[in-house]
Amino acid sequence: MSRYAFALAEPADDAELRARMAADWMEGDVGVSFRREPSYFAGCSLFGHRAQIIKCTDVDSGRIVGLGGRYRTLAFVDGQAREIGYLADLRGDASHRRGTLLARGYRFLRSLHEADPVPFYVSVVLEGNQAALGSLVGARAGLPTYTAAGRMLTPAVHLDLPRRPLHVDGVTFARGDPAQATEILDFINGRMAQRQFAPVLLGCDFAPGGRMQTLRYEDFFVARRAGRVVATLAAWDQAALRQTHIERYSPRLRAVRPFHNAAAAVTPLKPLPPVGARVPYLYLCFVAAEGDDPALFAALLRFAYNILRKGQWHYAIVGLHETHPLAAVLADYRSIAAAGHLFTVHYPQDGVAPPESRAPHLEMALA
């Protein structure tokens, strides 16, 4: 009898799934954990409209030692709205990462795929996670094919020092309003349709129980020219669904932290949180500008930045593909560099390969 069993997780597993997330850290100068409090399953709503969470249980102890998520989501493919798959939250106890366990987990995924097929999946592996990259990429036996689709840049912009406003002739900037909902969504969808795998936004996504129920139209920033929407971005605090916690500082940062925090007490700088604390951040998402005009995006971003920096957040995470024409604007800001490797994932035996005709994009607030 095998020591491990694979099955779909149920609501009764929620506490163990949350513990598994909290136990796996991303190391670096700052060690962090990515958590899903107070409910793992509530956070799943971000990633798609249908979630299947695979759990790996150690039969001897009865503990969940690994997990992974399979989602269905609505995205633009060749300019049309289509259902595709998304793979996320691959986690495993380090003491159990051996042998054929990963391949067995992917066999279980294959059974879910055969029962409920999608044309292909997208997935992101954080840069620096060499263990995951080495395990998933390279056509390993039993795994689907992971094909690189470039890097998603995800810098954490410091929200602290004031910046000079930028102006674009004939353009005004303001917060969004529920009365503008249709106009805002139509503009964003029109721009997202130009990119592969970008999300399709529906009005029902913002209703109670919807994918974006914690995002309000007042959280959008909108640029207008002659009364018409020409650029958007949204500031989305997702702390009610998922969080990042400080687990460890490097010796250098431990030594620097008291001096930095003393300076933060008398300047606009934000303090470094204590170990164990949640990092106050939000996502800057649904970035869109008419004609991919960097000047439009730069001015709208500056307008949003000067408002948000006065709030409780320390960082704003922006996600743009490395080939996106607007990505260069982010270089104007102090930030903590970060990125993820974007992959398309498919089973060659299905005879359906992911499209490659358009520049890819994945909304990191939904990833």
Side-chain angles (χ1 to χ4, degrees):
M1 179 178 176
S2 173
R3 178 181 173 182
Y4 301 100
F6 291 87
L8 287 178
E10 300 176 349
D13 298 312
D14 199 276
E16 270 204 82
L17 296 174
R18 287 185 281 116
R20 180 73 268 141
M21 294 289 291
D24 290 335
W25 299 0
M26 186 70 180
E27 293 293 355
D29 282 344
V30 181
V32 297
S33 62
F34 304 109
R35 305 193 185 191
R36 295 270 281 280
E37 303 292 342
S39 165
Y40 179 89
F41 282 100
C44 291
S45 64
L46 293 171
F47 307 138
H49 59 266
R50 183 182 179 191
Q52 293 175 300
I53 309 304
I54 302 169
K55 65 177 180 179
C56 174
T57 303
D58 180 344
V59 176
D60 292 343
S61 66
R63 292 175 48 245
I64 294 176
V65 296
L67 67 98
R70 176 185 186 262
Y71 301 86
R72 293 185 74 102
T73 187
L74 194 62
F76 286 107
V77 180
D78 293 335
Q80 302 298 315
R82 293 181 61 188
E83 280 202 349
I84 64 172
Y86 177 59
L87 302 177
D89 283 349
L90 183 61
R91 298 288 191 276
D93 187 321
S95 64
H96 295 265
R97 296 174 191 166
R98 59 179 180 270
T100 62
L101 201 57
L102 182 66
R104 290 180 57 197
Y106 270 85
R107 282 200 295 273
F108 190 85
L109 172 66
R110 176 65 175 169
S111 69
L112 299 179
H113 173 80
E114 290 176 346
D116 177 35
V118 293
F120 60 89
Y121 302 84
V122 292
S123 190
V124 174
V125 177
L126 295 179
E127 198 160 73
N129 190 348
Q130 296 305 125
L133 289 171
S135 298
L136 300 174
V137 181
R140 288 190 54 179
L143 271 63
T145 298
Y146 276 71
T147 303
R151 295 163 67 239
M152 290 298 303
L153 306 179
T154 56
V157 173
H158 293 275
L159 293 173
D160 46 27
L161 304 177
R163 303 290 300 272
R164 179 179 59 84
L166 300 175
H167 300 281
V168 178
D169 288 344
V171 176
T172 60
F173 306 99
R175 301 297 293 258
D177 185 281
Q180 306 165 356
T182 298
E183 188 181 10
I184 289 171
L185 296 187
D186 285 350
F187 175 78
I188 294 172
N189 282 328
R191 297 307 306 163
M192 293 294 176
Q194 306 304 309
R195 291 189 160 76
Q196 217 70 289
F197 323 134
V200 177
L201 303 190
L202 304 175
C204 60
D205 290 332
F206 294 82
R211 189 179 188 187
M212 284 161 274
Q213 63 177 325
T214 60
L215 178 65
R216 307 170 305 158
Y217 287 105
E218 294 90 342
D219 297 323
F220 281 81
F221 295 86
V222 180
R224 291 179 179 273
R225 179 184 284 125
R228 185 170 53 84
V229 174
V230 292
T232 61
L233 63 83
W236 192 357
D237 185 343
Q238 298 181 345
L241 296 172
R242 59 176 174 176
Q243 310 82 27
T244 299
H245 281 246
I246 302 292
E247 302 292 353
R248 183 188 61 79
Y249 284 111
S250 68
R252 178 183 65 84
L253 285 180
R254 281 203 306 271
V256 167
R257 182 173 172 268
F259 301 99
H260 175 92
N261 287 358
V266 294
T267 71
L269 295 174
K270 302 294 175 70
L272 294 173
V275 171
R278 178 177 64 85
V279 180
Y281 73 95
L282 45 70
Y283 285 94
L284 292 185
C285 50
F286 308 126
V287 170
E290 189 173 66
D292 286 334
D293 184 348
L296 266 178
F297 174 50
L300 181 59
L301 178 59
R302 186 64 55 86
F303 175 77
Y305 171 91
N306 280 326
I307 292 173
L308 296 171
R309 75 172 192 84
K310 298 174 184 177
Q312 71 268 34
W313 306 284
H314 293 192
Y315 306 98
I317 297 176
V318 192
L320 291 173
H321 194 269
E322 61 185 347
T323 62
H324 200 298
L326 303 182
V329 173
L330 304 179
D332 292 337
Y333 292 83
R334 293 173 50 248
S335 65
I336 300 172
H341 294 275
L342 177 62
F343 293 93
T344 59
V345 185
H346 75 289
Y347 292 94
Q349 53 268 48
D350 288 352
V352 179
E356 300 177 356
S357 58
R358 301 186 184 207
H361 175 74
L362 191 67
E363 180 53 69
M364 297 308 294
L366 300 174

